[in-house]
Amino acid sequence: MPLTVKGLEGIVAAETNMSYINGEKGILEYVGISIDDLARNSTFEETTYLLWNRKLPTKAELQAFTTEFRANYDLPAGMVERIQSLPKTAQPMHVLRTMVSALAMHDVDPNANDPVSARKKALSVLATTPAIIACFDRYRRGLPFVAPRKDLTFAQNFLYMLNGQVPTEAVARAFDICMILHADHGLNNSTFTSRVIISTLSDVYSALTGAIGSLRGPLHGGANEEVMEMLGEIEALAKSQGKNAMDVVEPYIMGRLAKKERIMGFGHRVYKTIDPRATFLKTFAKQIAADTGNLPLYEISSKIEQIMAREVGAKGIYPNVDFYSATTYHSIGLKLDLFTPMFAMSRNAGWSGHIIEQLSDNRLFRPAAEYVGPHNSPYMAMDSR
Ligand code: ACO
């Protein structure tokens, strides 16, 4: 009987030609191109094209893709009203999961899984999720819906729909880079979830809805919100003790480690060195934090990184993508509970690519469980139990 592999660590369960990860060396490539090169030179639209077509687009191809992408920015009729009928206290990730599921009901042929239909559905979900998130956030703030603008990029359009004004070039670029860095990452939990669901030949909407549910967890995409909460706790602790935040970082982190608590934004199932996305984001977070008056937050983060390297670096626990994305999103002015939806907005590109990849060579996922319970137990009548 084979051994149970808890968490499926190290098990190869699918083939992909989208992203390559080398956890020992800290390498991440999309279709062979380093994440660093893409973050420096590409855009989210171009990166999505790369992931879905396994090649960089020519100028004309990118133009055509961008036009098609923007043509899908609008929410289906009635969707804004539906979002505005939700409880204002709802959490944005629950709203996003529910509304992506609801998009299926606006599709006349929701179950079509042929390559052309699956890609069309994927593009439509990718293009409309920003409007879902922005619409809900404005509604809960008592503000009217701002319709998308087709002359704006994905990043600009989201921030425009959220804030009612076109962002500065620097802010839009910071946001676009975050989108590029989060777009795909091998067979992570949410991507695996999407492939498991589509392997039953269910539908693209169901697979994406399940993936959003997976991403929400604090051990996965939810960690970026917990990082920000931790930074807030450190600032509040310093204030309550009349100290400078930098002076309480050490006792705060050491206290949590002594209680065997996890420090969010550190550690990764695959990376045993610094996550290459975190390497890039670290430099970038410093710049955007300085530009927006949030440098103290970056400095607290940097000190946490130093303490963690000293205390748990030997175990291969280093910052992951969520650690510095928290500072970046905060500096851009995003509210805490929008951090994980931002991750979902970007990862939609990767999930969809994997869904289409799974459909192209499908075999139903159906692993086995090792039964460890009793055998030959008598059935006791209700009165005798
Ligand atoms: N803080 C402190 N110690 C940690 C951390 C952490 N964040 N992560 C792992 N460790 C320690 C564990 O306590 C364990 O120590 P031990 O061997 O002395 O008991 C050792 O490192 C190995 O931990 P595992 O749980 O076996 O590692 P696993 O591969 O299962 O976990 C995970 C990976 C879930 C990401 C983990 O590192 C974690 O909980 N991190 C915090 C949450 C987080 O940031 N998640 C985002 C991941 S990236 C992403 O999804 C985008």
Side-chain angles (χ1 to χ4, degrees):
M1 184 73 175
L3 277 180
T4 305
V5 181
K6 268 192 148 183
L8 298 182
E9 183 168 2
I11 302 292
V12 177
E15 285 184 355
T16 182
N17 51 23
M18 290 169 62
S19 55
Y20 166 77
I21 306 166
N22 183 320
E24 298 296 327
K25 294 185 180 154
I27 296 172
L28 170 62
E29 296 170 346
Y30 293 168
V31 197
I33 304 175
S34 90
I35 193 65
D36 211 60
D37 277 348
L38 287 166
R40 268 175 223 291
N41 303 306
S42 190
T43 61
F44 181 63
E45 285 85 339
E46 187 185 52
T47 299
T48 302
Y49 184 99
L50 170 71
L51 289 170
W52 289 7
N53 298 280
R54 316 310 196 256
K55 74 176 201 66
L56 285 171
T58 62
K59 211 171 178 180
E61 284 166 340
L62 184 60
Q63 177 69 49
F65 181 65
T66 303
T67 305
E68 190 193 357
F69 201 153
R70 293 181 187 185
N72 279 276
Y73 276 177
D74 291 312
L75 286 170
M79 197 71 160
V80 169
E81 292 72 19
R82 186 170 297 144
I83 293 169
Q84 290 173 339
S85 71
L86 296 170
K88 286 187 173 169
T89 50
Q91 293 174 15
M93 276 303 273
H94 291 296
V95 171
L96 182 63
R97 190 194 58 237
T98 306
M99 290 301 132
V100 166
S101 181
L103 285 174
M105 294 180 271
H106 294 270
D107 188 330
V108 288
D109 195 6
N111 304 338
N113 278 336
D114 61 275
V116 174
S117 303
R119 186 191 170 285
K120 259 174 106 173
K121 292 173 202 313
L123 190 65
S124 141
V125 177
L126 185 68
T128 47
T129 44
I132 293 174
I133 297 163
C135 176
F136 177 71
D137 185 62
R138 288 182 68 83
Y139 155 66
R140 68 181 175 169
R141 286 188 279 146
L143 298 170
F145 173 60
V146 171
R149 263 180 51 183
K150 296 190 175 67
D151 59 322
L152 299 179
T153 65
F154 183 82
Q156 287 173 323
N157 181 50
F158 170 67
L159 294 168
Y160 165 70
M161 288 190 292
L162 190 72
N163 301 321
Q165 58 191 43
V166 179
T168 64
E169 218 172 282
V171 165
R173 182 67 190 138
F175 188 74
D176 200 41
I177 287 172
C178 287
M179 294 294 103
I180 294 169
L181 294 175
H182 287 87
D184 191 40
H185 205 240
L187 205 57
N188 58 83
N189 192 295
S190 52
T191 300
F192 184 47
T193 302
S194 72
R195 289 187 79 133
V196 168
I197 293 174
I198 205 67
S199 82
T200 68
L201 300 185
S202 180
D203 61 278
V204 172
Y205 301 100
S206 297
L208 291 174
T209 301
I212 295 169
S214 152
L215 187 76
R216 204 191 66 74
L219 295 188
H220 192 9
N224 56 13
E225 293 183 14
E226 306 236 355
V227 171
M228 198 59 226
E229 272 172 15
M230 174 175 73
L231 298 176
E233 272 178 35
I234 290 173
E235 283 179 333
L237 181 68
K239 205 167 167 199
S240 73
Q241 296 179 355
K243 289 183 179 164
N244 185 297
M246 289 299 273
D247 297 331
V248 302
V249 178
E250 175 94 25
Y252 175 90
I253 296 293
M254 293 306 287
R256 284 190 62 168
L257 288 176
K259 284 188 268 171
K260 300 254 175 256
E261 284 177 15
R262 292 195 172 207
I263 306 302
M264 291 295 151
F266 283 84
H268 199 278
R269 174 59 63 78
V270 181
Y271 294 118
K272 298 306 163 206
T273 179
I274 187 163
D275 178 336
R277 300 166 296 175
T279 316
F280 186 85
L281 260 184
K282 184 181 173 174
T283 321
F284 201 74
K286 186 176 183 182
Q287 190 192 315
I288 190 93
D291 291 351
T292 54
N294 287 294
L295 206 51
L297 206 62
Y298 171 83
E299 281 160 357
I300 297 171
S301 307
S302 186
K303 182 146 190 196
I304 296 173
E305 186 186 344
Q306 285 165 24
I307 299 167
M308 288 295 280
R310 186 188 73 211
E311 295 298 321
V312 291
K315 285 190 204 171
I317 308 296
Y318 289 95
N320 57 51
V321 68
D322 283 330
F323 191 59
Y324 284 105
S325 67
T327 311
T328 309
Y329 285 146
H330 179 81
S331 299
I332 288 174
L334 293 174
K335 270 201 286 314
L336 180 69
D337 63 2
L338 293 183
F339 288 13
T340 315
M342 298 305 95
F343 194 158
M345 233 164 79
S346 157
R347 186 55 60 84
N348 249 329
W351 292 330
S352 299
H354 279 270
I355 288 168
I356 294 166
E357 199 171 44
Q358 180 68 33
L359 283 168
S360 70
D361 184 24
N362 188 48
R363 183 140 199 256
L364 176 74
F365 279 104
R366 204 314 186 181
E370 189 186 351
Y371 177 69
V372 294
H375 289 284
N376 300 321
S377 310
Y379 178 80
M380 306 269 281
M382 184 70 78
D383 291 347
S384 326
R385 286 174 209 165

